[in-house]
Structure formats: C-alpha cells, structure tokens
Amino acid sequence: MLLYNDQIMLIEALSTQLGTLLADKRKKIVTAESCTGGWVSQSITQVAGSSAWFDRSYVTYSNEAKREMLGVKIRTLNKYGAVSREVVEEMALGAVKKSGADFSVAISGIAGPDGGTDEKPVGTVWLAWNIAGSVDSSLTLLPGARRDVRAAAVTLALQGLLVRIRSWLSEQAQPQGSEKELPESLDETE
C-alpha cells in the first residue's frame, strides 16, 4: 500500500497523463462521485488546460442526488444499495447521458470509519467506467483510514480511465479490414 503522500503524487501524475492523452482528441470526461466527494474532478481540474477535455462533475453523495442528478433508478438503489455494481454502472451511464461527455467514471463506496457491514465492510468501493457507451465495473476492498480509502479510490478511477481510454483510442486507430490473412497451411515445410 502506498503512503498517503505518495498516493497524492500518483494522483497528480495520473491526472497529468490523462490530460496529455486527451488534449488533442476533442473528447470530454465527466465524473460521478459519491465517497470521493469530487476528488477525482478536483484532481483533473488541477491540470492546466483541463477545460478542453473535462466537462463536469456530479457529486452525488445521497441516494436522492444519485436519482435526481444521474437517473439512478430507485428500485436499483433499494435492491442493491448505493455501494453496488448496478448503481455505479447506472451512475456512469447517467453522467454521460446528462452531460453529453464521451467518457465517465463513477465511484461509490464505504470510506469509513463507520458505515460498514459484514457484506460491505469499510473500504468496499465500486467503480464503473463508461467509455463511448461501453460500461464495465470493478469491486475493490481498500485498506486503511478514510483518507487512504478515498485516495486509493481516486487513483483507481484515474488509472481505469487511462487504461480504458488508451485501449479505446487504439481500437479507433485500427483500420477496418486490417486483419492479416492466415496462411492456407500452418506447416512451414510446404
């Protein structure tokens, strides 16, 4: 586990990398944050020129905010709880739909020191990324005090954006029909 100050330096580096990646792509990012309280967007907007690629942030700490601002369904919240794959995926989808951005990250978790249960202990964090309409999510259990859990969640959110956007950009750069033809025979002696 990284020390808190090391985590802060990593967050700054990841935000800068994200800015460099998207500076000329004319694509926008939006964040939907619960347990991180806007820390991802704050990290992004510390990068000079981020207005070219950062659209907005939704800090949806309450269930009501998740419903009103992002369109998370009340039945999803009631059935799965705010800290769940289903909710963060709806948050990620809603953030893009409401903003018109191309990419999003959504986070919901239990940073502590209270609020944990046997099923969802303190440190439980769900993240979801919406990359041009394709959504995937990840569950993690983060150790440490409240600030450590939150810092690690911000780091994972930014790393996830970088990995997924790089992959998407790479796929977009592939010319259609560029697959190599397989030889008729795999026997090299022919």
Side-chain angles (χ1 to χ4, degrees), residues 150-186:
R150 294 178 73 232
V154 172
T155 300
L156 291 172
L158 293 168
Q159 287 173 329
L161 280 169
L162 277 166
V163 167
R164 287 161 178 83
I165 293 170
R166 283 178 177 145
S167 176
W168 182 82
L169 289 170
S170 177
E171 289 171 12
Q172 300 306 303
Q174 295 292 325
Q176 296 298 322
S178 66
E179 296 85 23
K180 291 182 181 178
E181 277 191 43
L182 292 175
E184 288 185 32
S185 171
L186 297 178

Side-chain angles (χ1 to χ4, degrees), residues 66-67 70-79 87 90:
K66 289 173 180 66
R67 288 192 329 265
L70 299 172
V72 174
K73 297 177 188 89
I74 193 165
R75 72 177 167 267
T76 306
L77 287 160
N78 289 339
K79 184 173 183 178
V87 167
E90 285 187 22

Side-chain angles (χ1 to χ4, degrees), residues 21-85:
L21 178 65
L22 293 177
D24 296 324
K25 303 299 181 195
R26 296 183 185 219
K27 299 292 182 189
K28 296 257 184 184
I29 293 172
V30 60
T31 65
E33 302 180 62
S34 187
C35 67
T36 50
W39 193 348
V40 176
S41 61
Q42 186 268 343
S43 300
I44 288 171
T45 57
Q46 282 196 5
V47 177
S50 59
S51 61
W53 50 273
F54 180 69
D55 185 62
R56 66 186 82 180
S57 175
Y58 297 95
V59 178
T60 56
Y61 212 70
S62 69
N63 286 352
E64 184 177 339
K66 289 173 180 66
R67 288 192 329 265
E68 289 177 4
M69 296 172 72
L70 299 172
V72 174
K73 297 177 188 89
I74 193 165
R75 72 177 167 267
T76 306
L77 287 160
N78 289 339
K79 184 173 183 178
Y80 301 104
V83 181
S84 65
R85 176 183 56 82

